[in-house]
Amino acid sequence: MKRFRKILLTLLAAGTLLGLGAGAWLYWQQDRLAQMVVKGLNQRLAAPVAVQDIGLSLQRFPAVSIRLSEVFSAGNPAAQSDTLLSAQAIYLEMDLWKLFTGPVEVQRMALEKGTLLLKTNARGESNYRIWKEEATSEEAAQFSLKALEIKDMRTIFHHVPGHFRTVARISKAELRGNFSQDGFDLMTALNAELQAVQQGGQDYLRLPQKLETLLSIEQKGKKLQVKSQVFRLPGLGQGQLQYDQQGQAQHLELKVPHLSVGSAWQWLQGQKYLPALPMNIEGSLALQFNWKQKGELPAVTHLAYGPDKPLQLRSKRYGNYGPLHLKGRYHRSAGRDTLWVEQLRQEDKQAPLRFSGRVVNLRKPALKGHLKADWPLRKWAQLLPGDSLEVEQGRALVELRMNGRYPSWQALQEPQRLAQARLHGSVELQEGRVRMPALNWLLERINGKVIFDGEKVKIERLFAAKAESDIFLRGRLGNVLGYLLFPEEPLQVDARLKAQRLVVEDFLDQSTGGDGRLAQPLEYTRRLQLKLNLAVDELQYASFTGRDVAGKLQIANSQIQAQNLRMNADGGRYQGQMRLTMPPEGPYQLQAEVNLEDLQLRAVFESFQNFGQQTLTARHLTGQAWLAGDLQAQVAPSLQIRLPSLRMTGTMRLENGRLQKFQPMLALSDYAALEALQDVRFDRLENDIRIEKEWIHIPKMHISSNVMDLDLQGRHSFDNQIDYLLRIKLGKVLFSRRKPSQMAPALSRHLAVTEERKDHLIPVAISGSVDQPQVHLDKSALTRDFKEGLKRQGTELRDIFKKEKRDTAQGTGLIFEWKNP
């Protein structure tokens, strides 16, 4: 044992001395040795390698490493157009003993921090074919490579004939195998980040994608094959990859049997292929990708995808859908590509769905599809932007074929482009019940059918009820998709509206909620371009009821117009025109022309609830009325007129009138018999009328009644302030129908009655409020009338002297007796 130990120690000492000696030798011979290695390498390569500095390392003794700094290689001269390799450092590792006992054998080569460009030019020549094809076997034996490592290298693969280019940052790659004069046979473990994938000038990768794979790479002559043992796209799935190149022909095939659709959906959104949508997708697809090219011919790309595990879509905003089965393919050839959705179906008895379609030219998409679905209205409403609808019940059967061509996918976000889409088919609504929270509206019994025929959309029938109102539409629609998908786009409607009963208050809700006043319904008309021919059996507003309503209603550019509007109401006819302008700021502006014929006054006062006052009411006034006039006013969104802004001019005519127990008339009891003034009748009354600044202005007019003849003029305010001037014939009315003891003291002291053929008009003023009228003689008017009377009598005297006979029976009929003060 002691002898064996002594021998072992002797051998170790000898080995150490030998190693130290070899190390010392290498130290003194490192320059010559490095030059020998580079020379041997250049003898084997078709293009020399330029090295700025060479160093020697014995850190992995007995292996020796030669460090080449700032290495440059132009690549194969025949294909030279770009630099093949530019590296900060290359390490060549070899067996120390081979330096003394045999040819130089590089066991390992490491490339660090640089750029590696693998390029095939338009002639099919590759710059990475760097081994000399004419090298002798002796030269080949002088240099061989067992392993290659790459660290932190930017790697570019560019195949010019196929217009294909990829860029990757290889963080770490290790290649092991055999290099020979004819080629190489390698296994590589690759950890990289894909930074660009380009085909035909189009970039398919907008964000980097990590890649982990174990590949076998074999090149023999002009044949190259890359085949994966493991191919993993972190977060997406894993599959098999194979790439073959022979001469100018290339073929790439990728199979992913279990592609996570949820991860792929997020990846597509991150790559900007799809818009960001608030939904989660579960399930998987089987994916197969093929890419082929030969020489200068355009590449052919084919992708097929099919069901693996049914898909489930879940979204708080859009609802839940599934199970969904998806199958389709993608093909690109000669610069043209097409994506097919061969089948998308939902196996749900409550909400079945079938869809198929295709997209021709993904850069400038031409869309074609066929959709058939029988869904609850609630699901359809969830797909629309915004939250303006709350569907409580109902279904919609949709069957549509769609066509459209667009310059880009972004154009689908342009309403004017989307309006060019052509749809064929129908949408049928069944027993819908929809709430509009912003308006506090509830629409019920929604039934109808809308037919799409290219750019035309026909309302075959559409019925809805709201509270006590019902609406039936038939006509045409426009810009339907724009209205549904874009919040500022208008809906175009050209239709005939029929209703058995229409209650205006049903569409003017003024309800309030916890967050304040809700939106005004008229504001929603800003998104309408509407033309309606009206045919309403009964129109009701407050106590007013109109029948057989007809006319045209138009809404456009924030303006509502009613033309040739006519109806029967209050025993007569209402006709007119109306325009309501809604500026972005400030009150609405109302203009109207009205023509009212043969109305029963009592019915009018009942219909309009005595116009908000209780002085002159339906129990006071009867007769027939005609009115023609123009009206202007400022209006609130609730359709309430701002009274200070009201302006109106018109002509009014009353016939067969009867005024009973009217307080201002009864206030004349000091001047006339009370029982006579309680019931005043007149055959005809006609005058102009003007409303301005909350006052009704009545020009001077003559009234002949069963009680008296009088002239009337004045004004009446909206808050029932009055300022009237009456000129009354006192001789035959005031005094003949009352006893002298009933005469007002103010008159009895100054007036005496005689039987004369003529009578005088006495001006009586009525002022104050309607409830407490103030009646008195208007002295200024009396003085003015007296002066006019004297002037008139002077004229009469001149006429009398011209006559041959005098009529001595004529007189003034009044004797004024003034007491001296």
Side-chain angles (χ1 to χ4, degrees):
M1 178 63 71
K2 290 183 179 180
R3 185 177 179 184
F4 176 76
R5 185 182 301 165
K6 185 176 180 181
I7 295 173
L8 181 59
L9 290 174
T10 303
L11 291 174
L12 289 174
T16 301
L17 291 174
L18 182 59
L20 291 173
W25 182 84
L26 286 173
Y27 177 78
W28 293 106
Q29 299 294 324
Q30 60 177 328
D31 290 342
R32 188 176 69 84
L33 180 61
Q35 293 293 339
M36 180 185 70
V37 172
V38 173
K39 180 180 178 181
L41 182 61
N42 282 332
Q43 287 178 346
R44 185 68 182 89
L45 298 177
V49 174
V51 179
Q52 181 175 339
D53 190 26
I54 302 175
L56 188 66
S57 173
L58 296 175
Q59 291 181 354
R60 300 183 63 179
F61 185 85
V64 60
S65 294
I66 297 179
R67 183 181 187 276
L68 309 179
S69 301
E70 303 300 332
V71 182
F72 172 84
S73 175
N76 186 355
Q80 185 175 343
S81 58
D82 292 283
T83 300
L84 169 65
L85 174 66
S86 175
Q88 183 175 326
I90 294 181
Y91 292 89
L92 302 174
E93 185 178 299
M94 60 200 78
D95 192 336
L96 174 62
W97 307 118
K98 291 290 186 178
L99 296 175
F100 302 102
T101 62
V104 175
E105 183 179 279
V106 179
Q107 297 176 329
R108 175 177 167 272
M109 178 185 292
L111 283 66
E112 293 186 1
K113 297 182 180 180
T115 300
L116 179 63
L117 171 60
L118 307 176
K119 183 174 182 179
T120 300
N121 63 21
R123 298 187 300 273
E125 299 166 333
S126 302
N127 69 338
Y128 53 86
R129 298 179 62 85
I130 56 176
W131 307 110
K132 287 183 178 179
E133 297 181 1
E134 68 277 6
T136 64
S137 57
E138 180 179 353
E139 290 172 336
Q142 289 180 358
F143 184 85
S144 62
L145 181 64
K146 298 298 183 183
L148 174 64
E149 289 185 5
I150 299 175
K151 292 182 179 180
D152 194 18
M153 291 286 293
R154 183 170 182 264
T155 305
I156 303 171
F157 178 77
H158 189 187
H159 192 270
V160 176
H163 306 284
F164 182 74
R165 183 175 181 269
T166 64
V167 179
R169 170 70 65 177
I170 299 178
S171 56
K172 184 177 181 181
E174 185 173 351
L175 296 87
R176 294 186 178 276
N178 298 313
F179 288 88
S180 66
Q181 181 178 353
D182 295 332
F184 50 82
D185 184 3
L186 303 172
M187 289 293 295
T188 178
L190 178 66
N191 191 325
E193 181 183 78
L194 282 174
Q195 295 178 334
V197 177
Q198 298 169 342
Q199 169 66 48
Q202 184 172 353
D203 197 342
Y204 290 94
L205 198 65
R206 292 179 172 87
L207 294 176
Q209 172 62 47
K210 291 188 178 299
L211 173 65
E212 299 172 359
T213 182
L214 179 62
L215 300 172
S216 63
I217 305 175
E218 180 180 357
Q219 179 184 348
K220 189 173 183 181
K222 294 186 177 182
K223 182 178 180 181
L224 173 66
Q225 183 180 78
V226 179
K227 190 173 183 179
S228 70
Q229 303 298 319
V230 176
F231 183 83
R232 183 181 298 112
L233 297 170
L236 294 175
Q238 65 181 36
Q240 296 81 43
L241 173 73
Q242 182 169 328
Y243 173 77
D244 292 286
Q245 178 182 343
Q246 185 167 4
Q248 295 186 347
Q250 300 178 88
H251 179 209
L252 175 65
E253 183 178 36
L254 172 64
K255 295 180 180 179
V256 182
H258 309 288
L259 177 68
S260 171
V261 177
S263 300
W265 181 269
Q266 294 178 0
W267 185 84
L268 290 171
Q269 290 179 329
Q271 296 293 333
K272 309 300 182 183
Y273 284 111
L274 294 175
L277 297 175
M279 67 172 56
N280 296 321
I281 304 180
E282 299 175 359
S284 59
L285 291 174
L287 184 74
Q288 183 171 346
F289 174 82
N290 280 277
W291 177 80
K292 294 181 179 180
Q293 185 170 32
K294 186 174 183 180
E296 292 290 335
L297 297 176
V300 177
T301 303
H302 188 83
L303 173 69
Y305 55 94
D308 175 45
K309 183 180 179 181
L311 308 181
Q312 298 283 343
L313 276 67
R314 293 183 173 86
S315 171
K316 292 182 179 179
R317 170 67 183 86
Y318 298 109
N320 302 328
Y321 304 88
L324 295 171
H325 300 270
L326 178 63
K327 180 181 179 182
R329 54 195 170 96
Y330 168 82
H331 186 83
R332 178 182 178 87
S333 177
R336 301 186 61 185
D337 60 351
T338 304
L339 173 66
W340 285 269
V341 178
E342 295 175 341
Q343 183 185 79
L344 173 62
R345 74 178 191 275
Q346 178 173 261
E347 299 299 336
D348 184 344
K349 294 182 179 180
Q350 300 300 319
L353 167 71
R354 296 288 187 277
F355 176 80
S356 60
R358 71 184 184 191
V359 183
V360 178
N361 190 354
L362 265 63
R363 299 186 66 180
K364 298 181 178 180
L367 308 178
K368 187 174 184 179
H370 180 203
L371 171 67
K372 186 175 182 179
D374 184 1
W375 280 6
L377 269 177
R378 174 178 50 82
K379 284 189 173 291
W380 291 111
Q382 286 178 316
L383 297 177
L384 299 177
D387 54 358
S388 58
L389 296 178
E390 291 180 1
V391 178
E392 297 183 1
Q393 69 178 44
R395 299 188 69 84
L397 175 60
V398 177
E399 183 168 7
L400 290 175
R401 297 181 182 274
M402 57 200 78
N403 291 278
R405 186 182 299 273
Y406 306 95
S408 67
W409 288 102
Q410 288 74 19
L412 289 172
Q413 301 178 18
E414 301 174 7
Q416 64 273 21
R417 294 285 189 180
L418 193 62
Q420 299 173 3
R422 295 191 175 187
L423 301 176
H424 297 267
S426 64
V427 175
E428 187 167 358
L429 305 175
Q430 300 173 352
E431 294 302 321
R433 180 183 171 93
V434 176
R435 189 176 299 278
M436 303 174 68
L439 295 174
N440 197 27
W441 282 14
L442 176 62
L443 302 178
E444 302 178 280
R445 293 186 289 153
I446 302 174
N447 289 276
K449 187 174 184 179
V450 178
I451 297 176
F452 294 81
D453 185 12
E455 296 180 356
K456 301 178 181 179
V457 183
K458 178 183 177 182
I459 307 174
E460 186 174 271
R461 65 181 189 277
L462 181 60
F463 176 86
K466 184 181 186 302
E468 300 179 32
S469 302
D470 60 86
I471 295 175
F472 181 86
L473 287 176
R474 177 173 290 163
R476 297 188 300 274
L477 295 175
N479 196 33
V480 177
L481 290 179
Y483 178 78
L484 294 175
L485 299 177
F486 301 99
E488 300 299 327
E489 282 296 296
L491 176 66
Q492 300 165 0
V493 183
D494 188 351
R496 180 175 177 83
L497 184 149
K498 298 183 67 176
Q500 293 179 334
R501 190 181 188 201
L502 204 60
V503 180
V504 176
E505 288 91 337
D506 290 345
F507 303 92
L508 294 176
D509 292 338
Q510 296 299 310
S511 304
T512 58
D515 56 349
R517 185 169 296 278
L518 298 175
Q520 299 288 355
L522 286 180
E523 287 295 311
Y524 273 64
T525 63
R526 296 185 187 277
R527 293 190 62 200
L528 292 178
Q529 293 180 359
L530 181 143
K531 295 181 181 179
L532 289 181
N533 290 318
L534 303 176
V536 180
D537 295 341
E538 180 179 310
L539 175 70
Q540 184 171 336
Y541 179 58
S543 299
F544 174 82
T545 300
R547 302 187 185 279
D548 302 324
V549 182
K552 294 182 178 180
L553 181 67
Q554 295 185 0
I555 300 177
N557 303 320
S558 298
Q559 193 173 86
I560 302 175
Q561 294 188 67
Q563 299 176 345
N564 300 323
L565 189 63
R566 56 195 182 277
M567 69 185 77
N568 298 325
D570 299 327
R573 296 170 297 282
Y574 285 74
Q575 299 179 16
Q577 324 282 337
M578 181 273 292
R579 180 169 67 246
L580 182 66
T581 304
M582 300 179 293
E585 298 181 358
Y588 297 170
Q589 304 295 326
L590 173 66
Q591 293 179 299
E593 300 176 7
V594 296
N595 189 9
L596 316 180
E597 298 179 349
D598 201 17
L599 303 183
Q600 297 295 326
L601 282 174
R602 176 165 291 177
V604 172
F605 274 73
E606 290 174 346
S607 292
F608 292 94
Q609 298 176 333
N610 297 315
F611 300 95
Q613 49 83 44
Q614 294 300 319
T615 303
L616 182 61
T617 66
R619 70 177 183 271
H620 297 123
L621 186 63
T622 60
Q624 294 172 282
W626 286 257
L627 175 66
D630 297 331
L631 180 148
Q632 296 180 354
Q634 295 178 354
V635 180
S638 60
L639 286 187
Q640 295 176 341
I641 292 178
R642 297 184 176 183
L643 294 179
S645 69
L646 178 61
R647 303 286 186 275
M648 179 181 173
T649 58
T651 302
M652 178 183 66
R653 185 173 92 245
L654 302 179
E655 292 185 359
N656 301 320
R658 186 175 183 181
L659 185 62
Q660 296 175 295
K661 297 181 181 181
F662 181 48
Q663 186 64 33
M665 188 63 69
L666 296 179
L668 293 172
S669 59
D670 284 341
Y671 301 90
L674 178 62
E675 63 276 6
L677 294 173
Q678 289 185 0
D679 189 356
V680 179
R681 304 183 186 187
F682 48 88
D683 292 331
R684 182 183 179 93
L685 188 155
E686 186 171 0
N687 197 14
D688 293 334
I689 190 169
R690 176 170 58 92
I691 299 176
E692 186 175 9
K693 297 181 180 179
E694 299 187 78
W695 283 88
I696 302 172
H697 297 265
I698 302 173
K700 184 178 180 180
M701 64 179 176
H702 183 74
I703 302 174
S704 297
S705 72
N706 63 314
V707 177
M708 69 184 77
D709 291 347
L710 58 86
D711 290 341
L712 170 69
Q713 69 185 80
R715 59 180 186 165
H716 192 138
S717 75
F718 288 171
D719 58 358
N720 284 329
Q721 296 297 310
I722 56 177
D723 184 8
Y724 288 120
L725 178 63
L726 290 76
R727 288 179 171 84
I728 307 172
K729 284 188 177 182
L730 297 179
K732 291 185 177 180
V733 177
L734 300 180
F735 298 102
S736 63
R737 298 200 177 193
R738 61 185 302 149
K739 297 178 181 178
S741 61
Q742 295 176 323
M743 187 180 301
L747 292 176
S748 63
R749 292 194 300 268
H750 304 290
L751 299 178
V753 180
T754 62
E755 295 294 333
E756 300 290 342
R757 296 179 60 185
K758 288 190 176 181
D759 205 346
H760 280 274
L761 298 177
I762 299 301
V764 177
I766 305 177
S767 60
S769 68
V770 172
D771 296 331
Q772 296 179 342
Q774 305 283 328
V775 180
H776 55 89
L777 290 177
D778 192 319
K779 295 182 179 180
S780 61
L782 183 62
T783 302
R784 186 170 57 253
D785 290 349
F786 183 74
K787 291 180 178 179
E788 292 177 355
L790 290 176
K791 184 184 297 184
R792 185 171 60 252
Q793 286 191 6
T795 303
E796 291 176 353
L797 286 173
R798 288 193 299 270
D799 294 338
I800 288 173
F801 283 114
K802 293 179 181 180
K803 294 181 180 180
E804 295 180 357
K805 294 183 179 181
R806 296 183 181 180
D807 188 356
T808 58
Q810 293 182 359
T812 63
L814 291 176
I815 299 174
F816 290 83
E817 296 179 356
W818 302 99
K819 292 184 178 180
N820 296 324

